Amino acid sequence: MKKMIVFCIALLMIGIGMTQTINTADAAFSKDEVVKERFALKREQLAEVVSKKIAHVENSIKKKLKEQEANKIKKQKEEEDKKAAAKKVEEEQAANQAAAQEAAQAEEAAKQAVIQEEQQAPQAQGNGETADAVSGASANGQERGQRNREWGNQLSDPNLTPAERQGIIQEKKNYNRNNH
């Protein structure tokens, strides 16, 4: 009987120990569940933060792409404006050169007319007055000097546009080149 009582007590103790172990196991499992819930909550929070960051990065990338596109369009417009301005300058220069050439041709024709008149005048007056006449080279030099003074006076005008100034200079160069 003593053995039985000892046996029962042992069984009882084993039973109590098992219940405690079961309770401890249940407690361990419940702790695992709490930890799992916390991890799940943290994962959700982390996923939320990550999705916000991803959205922020995507928005900043979109903004940068829009800015780059705007800058690209702006640069293209500036290049087109530069090309148009360069083309306009070239056209003005061509027009100035054409005007200068026409002026030079008109001056050349006027000079030829003056030379013809000078040649015809001494022939009409006769041989007696040749001592008072100015030589042709001296007359040409005087005419050239007079023209250069006129161009100098024109160039001293502060109200001239650069295009007009360039036209006068070109006209002077052509005249001096052709009448040297």
Side-chain angles (χ1 to χ4, degrees), residues 51-127:
S51 66
K52 286 181 182 178
K53 289 293 182 183
I54 289 173
H56 177 71
V57 169
E58 286 176 348
N59 287 338
S60 65
I61 289 173
K62 286 178 185 178
K63 285 180 184 178
K64 287 182 181 179
L65 288 175
K66 286 180 183 178
E67 289 174 2
Q68 287 177 349
E69 188 67 28
N71 288 340
K72 185 177 179 182
I73 291 170
K74 185 178 177 181
K75 286 181 182 178
Q76 287 175 348
K77 185 176 180 181
E78 288 175 356
E79 288 177 13
E80 290 173 2
D81 291 345
K82 286 180 183 177
K83 288 179 183 177
K87 185 176 180 181
K88 185 177 179 181
V89 167
E90 287 178 9
E91 289 174 356
E92 287 178 2
Q93 287 177 346
N96 288 341
Q97 287 178 351
Q101 288 176 352
E102 289 175 9
Q105 289 173 355
E107 289 175 22
E108 184 68 28
K111 179 184 160 192
Q112 292 294 334
V114 169
I115 291 173
Q116 287 177 356
E117 287 178 15
E118 288 176 358
Q119 289 175 352
Q120 291 172 359
Q123 291 173 358
Q125 292 176 356
N127 292 338

Side-chain angles (χ1 to χ4, degrees), residues 2-47:
K2 275 186 176 181
K3 284 185 181 181
M4 185 83 132
I5 293 177
V6 174
F7 182 69
C8 283
I9 291 176
L11 280 177
L12 189 58
M13 286 176 83
I14 291 174
I16 291 173
M18 291 280 267
T19 24
Q20 285 180 353
T21 306
I22 290 172
N23 286 340
T24 307
D26 287 342
F29 284 130
S30 67
K31 285 182 183 177
D32 285 344
E33 289 177 10
V34 170
V35 170
K36 285 181 183 178
E37 287 178 13
R38 285 185 187 163
F39 277 127
L41 182 61
K42 293 292 181 183
R43 270 192 230 120
E44 289 174 9
Q45 291 174 348
L46 183 63

